[in-house]
Amino acid sequence: MCPPIAGPLSLDEAIARALKYNLDRRVKMMEEALALNQLDTATWDMLPRFMAQAGYSRRNKDLITNSVDSVTGQPSLSHPYISSDSAHATFDLGLTWNLLDFGLSYIAAKQQADRVLIAC
């Protein structure tokens, strides 16, 4: 807290008091804002993680596969077939959620909530 004013105040003293005592208030406000933002981040860490991957593959020749005759068991050379294109794209989307990570994130969020209460 700032001490009470005992007598007349000059402009320089008023500016010095304003800077000195309002600076503490501003620092306290910034600490509260930072603690709240960290609480939001800690809360978001409890959600599953979204992962995306993409790829592209190309080869200069087609992949040709020969089949086996089901009756004789001999390779059938008369009708080979192309089993996949020479160029293809791959895409993978997924969610991962680890119970251990959730538990640790939950505890961290609770601790951050306590820090917010301390900052306020």
Side-chain angles (χ1 to χ4, degrees):
M1 297 301 284
C2 60
I5 300 172
L9 210 57
S10 69
L11 179 61
D12 292 335
E13 291 172 342
I15 292 173
R17 282 179 65 89
L19 288 175
K20 182 178 179 182
Y21 298 114
N22 285 334
L23 182 61
D24 292 338
R25 183 176 161 272
R26 295 285 296 173
V27 167
K28 184 72 170 166
M29 287 174 44
M30 291 299 164
E31 286 174 352
E32 289 176 17
L34 179 63
L36 285 171
N37 284 339
Q38 288 176 343
L39 177 61
D40 289 343
T41 303
T43 305
W44 281 102
D45 280 344
M46 289 189 288
L47 293 176
R49 283 163 179 71
F50 179 73
M51 298 184 341
Q53 295 178 351
Y56 182 76
S57 176
R58 180 167 174 74
R59 55 180 167 262
N60 58 357
K61 294 183 180 178
D62 290 329
L63 182 61
I64 297 176
T65 305
N66 292 325
S67 60
V68 175
D69 191 337
S70 62
V71 176
T72 63
Q74 297 297 318
S76 173
L77 300 177
S78 61
H79 300 291
Y81 62 94
I82 297 173
S83 61
S84 67
D85 293 333
S86 60
H88 66 277
T90 58
F91 304 99
D92 183 30
L93 297 173
L95 288 174
T96 62
W97 192 65
N98 188 337
L99 189 59
L100 181 60
D101 287 341
F102 172 77
L104 292 175
S105 298
Y106 179 77
I107 292 170
K110 288 293 189 183
Q111 289 174 342
Q112 190 58 40
D114 292 339
R115 288 187 192 108
V116 169
L117 293 174
I118 291 169
C120 295

